[in-house]
Amino acid sequence: MQKQLQQIIDLLTEVNVIGTTDKIITDVTADSRVVQPGSLFIALKGVHADGHKFLGKAAEAGATAALVEDVPAEIPEGLTLLQVKDVRGAMETVAPYFFDYPGKTMRMIGVTGTNGKTTSTNIIRQVLTSAGFKCGMIGTINVMIGEESIVSHNTTPDVVDLQKFLYRMKEGGCQYVVMEVSSHALALKRVAGIEFDTAVLTNITEDHLDFHKTMEAYRDAKSLLFEHLTDGNKPNKTAVFNADEPASEIIKARTSAPYLTYGMGKENHIYPLAYEVGAKGMHLCLHTPAGDMDLCLNITGKFNVYNVMCAVGALLAEKIDKGEIEKVLNGFAGVPGRFQLVEAGQPYTVIVDYAHTPDGLENVLHTARLITKGRLWVVFGCGGDRDNKKRPIMGKIALDLADDVVVTSDNPRSEDPEKIIDQIEVALQPVPEGKTVTRLADRKEAIGYALAHAKEQDVILIAGKGHENYQILKDKTIHFDDKEVVEEYWKGKQP
């Protein structure tokens, strides 16, 4: 992949070129650590770092040009500067162009919403793969290019990394890409240059208000996926809406695309005729425009009824055969860290789940209660440097729905874990008779406390981190896996 530097310059408006332009660009990056000979380095101004400070390092690594807002007093030798008013805006133009707009050549399915994106996208990917399509997937847990898995660091990568992934998918023969599309990605235009074919809304509940400030702004960011769905020239566009989500009616009015709805009511295109939730699975009879589906699933919970309907809506929008959908759903084993049962030889049930929002925690606690014959435990915390308004809300949900609450640390980042717990604990008083609240900032100690005190027929829900195998502290990131902590505890108990 390469472009003439002049071709990139021609894309930009009001650009001041400093240096020679007779150059070949062989890569585009905003990370000075991965610059290679021939790179165009994008000097982004971020919250924690300013790319302009790394122009010298980029030049030493072989960058031949840089996209900048400010011109340094000393320009590194051999580096051509493209000065623009808005580097981020220019990046949104340059990156898709450099990689030949891969998001306009494959079928793109975008799933947005607060909860349910990961399970829904994994179902969609597995069905498409079973149906004979090579499929890419971009999400919270990983990026998949066919069967190759790459660890993911953001729900939706930045625009440069995203275009690189899409280019690799296109070159690798992918016909479909299924994406989790975050509100940040939509608001910050990380999905620039992508033309979606099917857009799906799961739900909108409180999250990311540190960034969006209001629920209206959060909803409006999600809405952008649907507002721009009919942009471009690709045929057969469809929007898929959760009719039980109040924001769906508002967003539906903002798109001109044909749509499908799913929900509990019989007025929807997709709705459950009946479902029965069990400890390790559920039976779901589903009405769809393609005919009724009788499903025996290895996932459980009412929230997973919605996730299944969401995925079915997207797949039917893409004209995938009903029988293929049924076959895969009947064998779908779930996603790591999503209501995942941990079997370590313990006499009670342990569940690990990613729930880190009020709605997510409420959903999994309701489902856990359905399978609890003894007492229901919850071990949870809240992330640092994130929306602090949800902390007492999650505390109240935990106290209302569980019998034994152990409040602990999640990913505290730069914040003091004890102060985060203070904000949660506001809602944990007074403790109702018959319930307990325990405060242990050390997450391993907190999990161990629940494991040591739970009795046979109890259920322990460990919430917040799910699939994550790390914990982000103030000065470092350490290895930490909730599932491993449970397994190691019980390994030590074996004779």
Side-chain angles (χ1 to χ4, degrees), residues 274-278 281-285 293-297 299 305:
Y275 66 93
E276 183 179 354
V277 172
M282 64 180 174
H283 181 220
L284 171 62
C285 294
M293 297 183 182
D294 191 16
L295 306 168
C296 290
L297 299 147
I299 54 176
V305 174

Side-chain angles (χ1 to χ4, degrees), residues 381-404:
C382 291
D385 301 336
R386 298 294 186 269
D387 181 10
N388 60 13
K389 294 178 183 177
K390 68 183 181 183
R391 294 171 185 173
I393 299 171
M394 291 178 68
K396 185 175 189 312
I397 289 168
L399 190 63
D400 286 348
L401 300 181
D403 301 306
D404 300 285

Side-chain angles (χ1 to χ4, degrees), residues 109-124:
I109 300 174
V111 181
T112 194
T114 309
N115 301 309
K117 298 187 296 296
T118 299
T119 298
S120 300
T121 53
N122 273 269
I123 293 171
I124 295 166

Side-chain angles (χ1 to χ4, degrees), residues 311-387:
V312 168
L315 291 161
L316 292 181
E318 290 297 324
K319 309 294 189 293
I320 303 301
D321 179 71
K322 168 180 171 284
E324 198 68 52
I325 299 171
E326 289 177 302
K327 180 181 76 174
V328 173
L329 281 171
N330 281 318
F332 183 69
V335 180
R338 270 57 177 182
F339 211 78
Q340 182 178 7
L341 293 165
V342 182
E343 300 293 349
Q346 76 277 9
Y348 41 72
T349 301
V350 179
I351 299 161
V352 170
D353 194 88
Y354 187 55
H356 61 284
T357 66
D359 183 68
L361 185 62
E362 183 174 5
N363 284 335
V364 293
L365 280 171
H366 276 304
T367 298
R369 176 60 74 186
L370 292 174
I371 64 172
T372 303
K373 294 180 180 179
R375 294 177 68 84
L376 176 57
W377 292 72
V378 61
V379 181
F380 83 105
C382 291
D385 301 336
R386 298 294 186 269
D387 181 10

